[in-house]
Amino acid sequence: MSVTQDRRFTKDQVAEILDNAVGKTLGEVDAIGSNQFERTKKSPKITGIAGDVIEQSVFGYARDAIQECDIEIDGTLVELKTTGVRIPKSEFNVAQKKTGDAYKLHLGAKEGISITAVTLEPSIQMDFKTSHFWEKAEKLLIVFYEYKSYETVPAQEYANFPIVGYCYNTFSDSEQNQLKKDWEIVRDYLNDHYSKYPNSSERRDKLVGFTHTLRPDLLLIELVPGYKKRNVNKPSTADNFQKPRYRLKKTFVDYLVRGHFNKSRAQHEINLKESFSSFAELDKRCHKLSKKHKGKSFPELKKELGIETPITTKDFAAKAILKMFDADCKRLNQIADFTKAGIEARTIILDSKGRNTEDMKFHLIDFDEWADRNTDFEESDIFTFFMEHSLLCPIFTEFDSTDKTKTIFEGFKRFSFDDDFINSEVRRVWEDSRKLIHTNTLVWEYQYDKEKNPVKNKSGSYRGAPNFPKKTDYTVFFRGGANDSSESSRTQIVNDIKMLPQFFWLNGRFVSDKLKSLPYL
C-alpha cells in the first residue's frame, strides 16, 4: 500500500506545518488554504468540517473515501485524525482562571475517534495485524482543536475553534492486545454468521442489531452507528443498510488526550500489576478473587490482606477490594485500566435480605447542552455515558449494621446498560427535563412543615429543590450536590432559578434488582 506524492512528508515537514497551525483557529488556517468553510454557507450541517480543514487546507491534499492510511511520514504510513477536545463543565470554573499549558491540563475528549468501516462482506479479514482496522489505528497523528462551546453549533462556527496541539500516538503492548481482542470479538461474530447464512441478503437481515449485541463485550472500541435497515420496505441490498464503523470509545480517547496534555501523568498513574485484555479476562480474574475471599468477614479480610484501616471505617470494604486487586490508590475508579474502558467500580453493601437502597451518584449535568434544542439524545453526554460505561460491583452483605465483624464478602457482579434501558429510562429523564427547560415550566418547589410553613436549613436558607425528575418517579434522576445547602452554594442557574449544582443519579432500587438477576462472576 502506498500514497500519492502529495501525501508524503518528512517528520520535520509535519512539525513545521502543525507548529505553524497550533494557536490559530480553523478559520484562520482555512483562509490561506482551500477555503473549506465556504461550503458551510450552503450546508450548515457538514460532518467532519474540522478534518477537511486539516487535510485540505493545512496539509494540502484532497479528501477521499479510500480505506487506507492518509499520509506517509518518512516512509511510514500514518493515519491523520482530527478530534475535538473540550473543558468538562465540572472543571470549567477552575480552568477559566488559567492560561497556556496549565489551562490545557483540563482538556478532555469531546467524543470518540472513528477509525474505519467494519468489513461486512466476504471475504472477511481474519488476521488482526493485516486488518483495515489495525492498518489505520497502528500509527496515528492526532490533531486537537478546542470545541469552545457546550452547545451544538453549525459547521460554520467551527471556524472560531482554535487548534491546540497534536501528537503521534502508538498504543502500548497492553492496549494493542485489548484492541486485538475487541476486533476478534467482532470478527468471530461476523464469521459465524457468514458460515450460517451464505445468502448475503439473508445474512444482512440476520445481522441487524449485532452492534448492540456486541457492545457489552467490547473494551476499548465501539461500533457506530448501529447496523440497521434504512428502509424496511425495500430489499436487503447492501446499500439499504446503515453501516457501522470502528470507533475508539470516548473514555479511551479521553485517557489519550489527558496523557498528551499532562506529560507528568505517567509518574503517578495507577495501573493494575496484572491487567486484562477483555471483559472476559476481567470476569475470570474477579471469579478467582471471589473464590479466594468469598465468605470472609471484615476482620478476616483485614488480617489476610494486611489492611491497616479499622473495620469501622466507612470505606473499609472499598479498601479491601483495592487490596485484592493489589492497587496502590485510594479509589478503584482511579485505576487507568478501568477508566480507559469506562468501567465504574462501585462497592455494594447489601442488608441481610439482599437489599441495597443506596443511590449511585454520577456526573455533573451540563445544562447548556440540555437547554440546546439542536442537541439530539444520541449526541448527548448522558447517552454516551450509559452507552460506554459498565458497572463492576464488589458485593458485601451486612448482617448487623451495628456490628461490622458480621459483614462478609460475597463476590463480584458486572453489567452494562442495555439498549432498552437507555432508550426508555435514560431517554425519559432527558426528554422530561428538557421539556421543563424549553417550556419554562421549571419551578422551585419549597419544602413545608406540617403547618405548611417553609422549612429552613441550618444555614438559614429555605429548603427546596427544582422540579427536575426525582427518585420517587425515575430510575435516572437529578439531585443537587454541594458541601452545604446555603444560598451561596446555589451556583447553578437554569431559567433564572438558582440551585445547587445538579448531578444525575441512578436509583439504588434499580441497581439492587438488576444485581439480583445476575449470577456472581
Side-chain angles (χ1 to χ4, degrees), residues 36-55:
Q36 293 298 307
F37 280 108
E38 183 66 25
R39 296 184 292 133
T40 66
K41 294 178 180 179
K42 294 182 179 180
S43 303
K45 291 187 177 182
I46 294 176
T47 301
I49 187 65
D52 291 344
V53 170
I54 297 300
E55 290 178 0

PDB file of all heavy atoms in Angstrom, residues 36-55:
ATOM      1  N   GLN A  36     -12.398  25.651   2.950  1.00  0.00           N
ATOM      2  CA  GLN A  36     -13.441  24.660   3.169  1.00  0.00           C
ATOM      3  C   GLN A  36     -14.716  25.261   3.770  1.00  0.00           C
ATOM      4  O   GLN A  36     -15.822  24.776   3.528  1.00  0.00           O
ATOM      5  CB  GLN A  36     -12.918  23.548   4.086  1.00  0.00           C
ATOM      6  CG  GLN A  36     -11.814  22.690   3.478  1.00  0.00           C
ATOM      7  CD  GLN A  36     -12.293  21.956   2.254  1.00  0.00           C
ATOM      8  OE1 GLN A  36     -13.310  21.263   2.293  1.00  0.00           O
ATOM      9  NE2 GLN A  36     -11.588  22.111   1.149  1.00  0.00           N
ATOM     10  N   PHE A  37     -14.558  26.313   4.557  1.00  0.00           N
ATOM     11  CA  PHE A  37     -15.729  26.892   5.228  1.00  0.00           C
ATOM     12  C   PHE A  37     -16.681  27.583   4.262  1.00  0.00           C
ATOM     13  O   PHE A  37     -17.814  27.890   4.630  1.00  0.00           O
ATOM     14  CB  PHE A  37     -15.284  27.867   6.327  1.00  0.00           C
ATOM     15  CG  PHE A  37     -14.865  27.166   7.596  1.00  0.00           C
ATOM     16  CD1 PHE A  37     -13.526  27.108   7.963  1.00  0.00           C
ATOM     17  CD2 PHE A  37     -15.799  26.540   8.399  1.00  0.00           C
ATOM     18  CE1 PHE A  37     -13.129  26.449   9.116  1.00  0.00           C
ATOM     19  CE2 PHE A  37     -15.419  25.884   9.561  1.00  0.00           C
ATOM     20  CZ  PHE A  37     -14.078  25.837   9.916  1.00  0.00           C
ATOM     21  N   GLU A  38     -16.247  27.808   3.038  1.00  0.00           N
ATOM     22  CA  GLU A  38     -17.142  28.385   2.037  1.00  0.00           C
ATOM     23  C   GLU A  38     -18.345  27.474   1.822  1.00  0.00           C
ATOM     24  O   GLU A  38     -19.470  27.940   1.597  1.00  0.00           O
ATOM     25  CB  GLU A  38     -16.376  28.582   0.728  1.00  0.00           C
ATOM     26  CG  GLU A  38     -17.183  29.254  -0.375  1.00  0.00           C
ATOM     27  CD  GLU A  38     -17.545  30.703  -0.057  1.00  0.00           C
ATOM     28  OE1 GLU A  38     -16.821  31.344   0.739  1.00  0.00           O
ATOM     29  OE2 GLU A  38     -18.565  31.185  -0.594  1.00  0.00           O
ATOM     30  N   ARG A  39     -18.111  26.155   1.928  1.00  0.00           N
ATOM     31  CA  ARG A  39     -19.201  25.190   1.726  1.00  0.00           C
ATOM     32  C   ARG A  39     -20.263  25.270   2.802  1.00  0.00           C
ATOM     33  O   ARG A  39     -21.413  24.896   2.593  1.00  0.00           O
ATOM     34  CB  ARG A  39     -18.643  23.762   1.687  1.00  0.00           C
ATOM     35  CG  ARG A  39     -17.709  23.486   0.522  1.00  0.00           C
ATOM     36  CD  ARG A  39     -17.291  22.019   0.501  1.00  0.00           C
ATOM     37  NE  ARG A  39     -16.439  21.680   1.625  1.00  0.00           N
ATOM     38  CZ  ARG A  39     -16.606  20.601   2.394  1.00  0.00           C
ATOM     39  NH1 ARG A  39     -17.616  19.780   2.182  1.00  0.00           N
ATOM     40  NH2 ARG A  39     -15.771  20.339   3.377  1.00  0.00           N
ATOM     41  N   THR A  40     -19.869  25.733   3.993  1.00  0.00           N
ATOM     42  CA  THR A  40     -20.816  25.742   5.118  1.00  0.00           C
ATOM     43  C   THR A  40     -21.898  26.811   4.977  1.00  0.00           C
ATOM     44  O   THR A  40     -22.896  26.781   5.686  1.00  0.00           O
ATOM     45  CB  THR A  40     -20.070  25.962   6.446  1.00  0.00           C
ATOM     46  OG1 THR A  40     -19.485  27.272   6.471  1.00  0.00           O
ATOM     47  CG2 THR A  40     -18.973  24.935   6.634  1.00  0.00           C
ATOM     48  N   LYS A  41     -21.699  27.756   4.063  1.00  0.00           N
ATOM     49  CA  LYS A  41     -22.719  28.798   3.871  1.00  0.00           C
ATOM     50  C   LYS A  41     -24.001  28.201   3.286  1.00  0.00           C
ATOM     51  O   LYS A  41     -25.096  28.674   3.573  1.00  0.00           O
ATOM     52  CB  LYS A  41     -22.170  29.884   2.941  1.00  0.00           C
ATOM     53  CG  LYS A  41     -21.000  30.659   3.544  1.00  0.00           C
ATOM     54  CD  LYS A  41     -20.465  31.691   2.557  1.00  0.00           C
ATOM     55  CE  LYS A  41     -19.295  32.458   3.168  1.00  0.00           C
ATOM     56  NZ  LYS A  41     -18.727  33.455   2.228  1.00  0.00           N
ATOM     57  N   LYS A  42     -23.828  27.151   2.492  1.00  0.00           N
ATOM     58  CA  LYS A  42     -24.998  26.486   1.905  1.00  0.00           C
ATOM     59  C   LYS A  42     -25.368  25.210   2.643  1.00  0.00           C
ATOM     60  O   LYS A  42     -26.509  24.757   2.559  1.00  0.00           O
ATOM     61  CB  LYS A  42     -24.731  26.170   0.435  1.00  0.00           C
ATOM     62  CG  LYS A  42     -24.578  27.392  -0.451  1.00  0.00           C
ATOM     63  CD  LYS A  42     -24.365  26.987  -1.906  1.00  0.00           C
ATOM     64  CE  LYS A  42     -24.242  28.195  -2.808  1.00  0.00           C
ATOM     65  NZ  LYS A  42     -24.029  27.819  -4.237  1.00  0.00           N
ATOM     66  N   SER A  43     -24.387  24.638   3.351  1.00  0.00           N
ATOM     67  CA  SER A  43     -24.628  23.369   4.053  1.00  0.00           C
ATOM     68  C   SER A  43     -24.195  23.515   5.513  1.00  0.00           C
ATOM     69  O   SER A  43     -23.053  23.215   5.867  1.00  0.00           O
ATOM     70  CB  SER A  43     -23.853  22.232   3.384  1.00  0.00           C
ATOM     71  OG  SER A  43     -24.201  22.119   2.030  1.00  0.00           O
ATOM     72  N   PRO A  44     -25.073  24.007   6.383  1.00  0.00           N
ATOM     73  CA  PRO A  44     -24.698  24.291   7.778  1.00  0.00           C
ATOM     74  C   PRO A  44     -24.407  23.064   8.629  1.00  0.00           C
ATOM     75  O   PRO A  44     -23.873  23.179   9.730  1.00  0.00           O
ATOM     76  CB  PRO A  44     -25.918  25.045   8.324  1.00  0.00           C
ATOM     77  CG  PRO A  44     -27.056  24.591   7.462  1.00  0.00           C
ATOM     78  CD  PRO A  44     -26.472  24.369   6.105  1.00  0.00           C
ATOM     79  N   LYS A  45     -24.719  21.857   8.126  1.00  0.00           N
ATOM     80  CA  LYS A  45     -24.542  20.654   8.947  1.00  0.00           C
ATOM     81  C   LYS A  45     -23.489  19.701   8.365  1.00  0.00           C
ATOM     82  O   LYS A  45     -23.605  18.486   8.495  1.00  0.00           O
ATOM     83  CB  LYS A  45     -25.871  19.921   9.115  1.00  0.00           C
ATOM     84  CG  LYS A  45     -26.877  20.674   9.977  1.00  0.00           C
ATOM     85  CD  LYS A  45     -28.119  19.834  10.247  1.00  0.00           C
ATOM     86  CE  LYS A  45     -29.088  20.558  11.169  1.00  0.00           C
ATOM     87  NZ  LYS A  45     -30.288  19.738  11.476  1.00  0.00           N
ATOM     88  N   ILE A  46     -22.457  20.237   7.739  1.00  0.00           N
ATOM     89  CA  ILE A  46     -21.400  19.392   7.184  1.00  0.00           C
ATOM     90  C   ILE A  46     -20.716  18.632   8.312  1.00  0.00           C
ATOM     91  O   ILE A  46     -20.255  19.208   9.289  1.00  0.00           O
ATOM     92  CB  ILE A  46     -20.360  20.238   6.423  1.00  0.00           C
ATOM     93  CG1 ILE A  46     -21.002  20.865   5.182  1.00  0.00           C
ATOM     94  CG2 ILE A  46     -19.163  19.380   6.018  1.00  0.00           C
ATOM     95  CD1 ILE A  46     -20.082  21.800   4.431  1.00  0.00           C
ATOM     96  N   THR A  47     -20.652  17.308   8.189  1.00  0.00           N
ATOM     97  CA  THR A  47     -19.966  16.472   9.170  1.00  0.00           C
ATOM     98  C   THR A  47     -18.486  16.383   8.814  1.00  0.00           C
ATOM     99  O   THR A  47     -18.134  16.167   7.655  1.00  0.00           O
ATOM    100  CB  THR A  47     -20.574  15.059   9.185  1.00  0.00           C
ATOM    101  OG1 THR A  47     -21.966  15.156   9.519  1.00  0.00           O
ATOM    102  CG2 THR A  47     -19.877  14.183  10.217  1.00  0.00           C
ATOM    103  N   GLY A  48     -17.631  16.561   9.801  1.00  0.00           N
ATOM    104  CA  GLY A  48     -16.198  16.402   9.563  1.00  0.00           C
ATOM    105  C   GLY A  48     -15.518  17.610   8.973  1.00  0.00           C
ATOM    106  O   GLY A  48     -14.455  17.485   8.357  1.00  0.00           O
ATOM    107  N   ILE A  49     -16.097  18.797   9.163  1.00  0.00           N
ATOM    108  CA  ILE A  49     -15.501  20.001   8.577  1.00  0.00           C
ATOM    109  C   ILE A  49     -14.109  20.274   9.149  1.00  0.00           C
ATOM    110  O   ILE A  49     -13.216  20.711   8.430  1.00  0.00           O
ATOM    111  CB  ILE A  49     -16.424  21.227   8.784  1.00  0.00           C
ATOM    112  CG1 ILE A  49     -15.884  22.458   8.026  1.00  0.00           C
ATOM    113  CG2 ILE A  49     -16.609  21.538  10.255  1.00  0.00           C
ATOM    114  CD1 ILE A  49     -15.870  22.302   6.530  1.00  0.00           C
ATOM    115  N   ALA A  50     -13.900  19.993  10.437  1.00  0.00           N
ATOM    116  CA  ALA A  50     -12.582  20.229  11.038  1.00  0.00           C
ATOM    117  C   ALA A  50     -11.524  19.347  10.383  1.00  0.00           C
ATOM    118  O   ALA A  50     -10.414  19.801  10.077  1.00  0.00           O
ATOM    119  CB  ALA A  50     -12.635  19.972  12.546  1.00  0.00           C
ATOM    120  N   GLY A  51     -11.864  18.085  10.142  1.00  0.00           N
ATOM    121  CA  GLY A  51     -10.941  17.179   9.482  1.00  0.00           C
ATOM    122  C   GLY A  51     -10.641  17.612   8.058  1.00  0.00           C
ATOM    123  O   GLY A  51      -9.505  17.509   7.583  1.00  0.00           O
ATOM    124  N   ASP A  52     -11.673  18.113   7.355  1.00  0.00           N
ATOM    125  CA  ASP A  52     -11.463  18.605   5.985  1.00  0.00           C
ATOM    126  C   ASP A  52     -10.468  19.762   5.972  1.00  0.00           C
ATOM    127  O   ASP A  52      -9.616  19.853   5.081  1.00  0.00           O
ATOM    128  CB  ASP A  52     -12.793  19.068   5.383  1.00  0.00           C
ATOM    129  CG  ASP A  52     -13.749  17.917   5.112  1.00  0.00           C
ATOM    130  OD1 ASP A  52     -13.286  16.758   5.106  1.00  0.00           O
ATOM    131  OD2 ASP A  52     -14.947  18.177   4.918  1.00  0.00           O
ATOM    132  N   VAL A  53     -10.590  20.653   6.952  1.00  0.00           N
ATOM    133  CA  VAL A  53      -9.688  21.805   7.019  1.00  0.00           C
ATOM    134  C   VAL A  53      -8.244  21.349   7.244  1.00  0.00           C
ATOM    135  O   VAL A  53      -7.314  21.827   6.583  1.00  0.00           O
ATOM    136  CB  VAL A  53     -10.129  22.773   8.132  1.00  0.00           C
ATOM    137  CG1 VAL A  53      -9.065  23.849   8.383  1.00  0.00           C
ATOM    138  CG2 VAL A  53     -11.462  23.426   7.778  1.00  0.00           C
ATOM    139  N   ILE A  54      -8.046  20.416   8.178  1.00  0.00           N
ATOM    140  CA  ILE A  54      -6.685  19.949   8.471  1.00  0.00           C
ATOM    141  C   ILE A  54      -6.101  19.221   7.263  1.00  0.00           C
ATOM    142  O   ILE A  54      -4.943  19.440   6.876  1.00  0.00           O
ATOM    143  CB  ILE A  54      -6.667  19.036   9.711  1.00  0.00           C
ATOM    144  CG1 ILE A  54      -7.126  19.818  10.962  1.00  0.00           C
ATOM    145  CG2 ILE A  54      -5.277  18.452   9.926  1.00  0.00           C
ATOM    146  CD1 ILE A  54      -6.269  21.023  11.300  1.00  0.00           C
ATOM    147  N   GLU A  55      -6.893  18.362   6.634  1.00  0.00           N
ATOM    148  CA  GLU A  55      -6.396  17.592   5.496  1.00  0.00           C
ATOM    149  C   GLU A  55      -6.131  18.472   4.277  1.00  0.00           C
ATOM    150  O   GLU A  55      -5.057  18.404   3.662  1.00  0.00           O
ATOM    151  CB  GLU A  55      -7.407  16.500   5.128  1.00  0.00           C
ATOM    152  CG  GLU A  55      -7.515  15.377   6.153  1.00  0.00           C
ATOM    153  CD  GLU A  55      -8.567  14.349   5.761  1.00  0.00           C
ATOM    154  OE1 GLU A  55      -9.205  14.521   4.703  1.00  0.00           O
ATOM    155  OE2 GLU A  55      -8.749  13.375   6.517  1.00  0.00           O
TER     156      GLU A  55
END
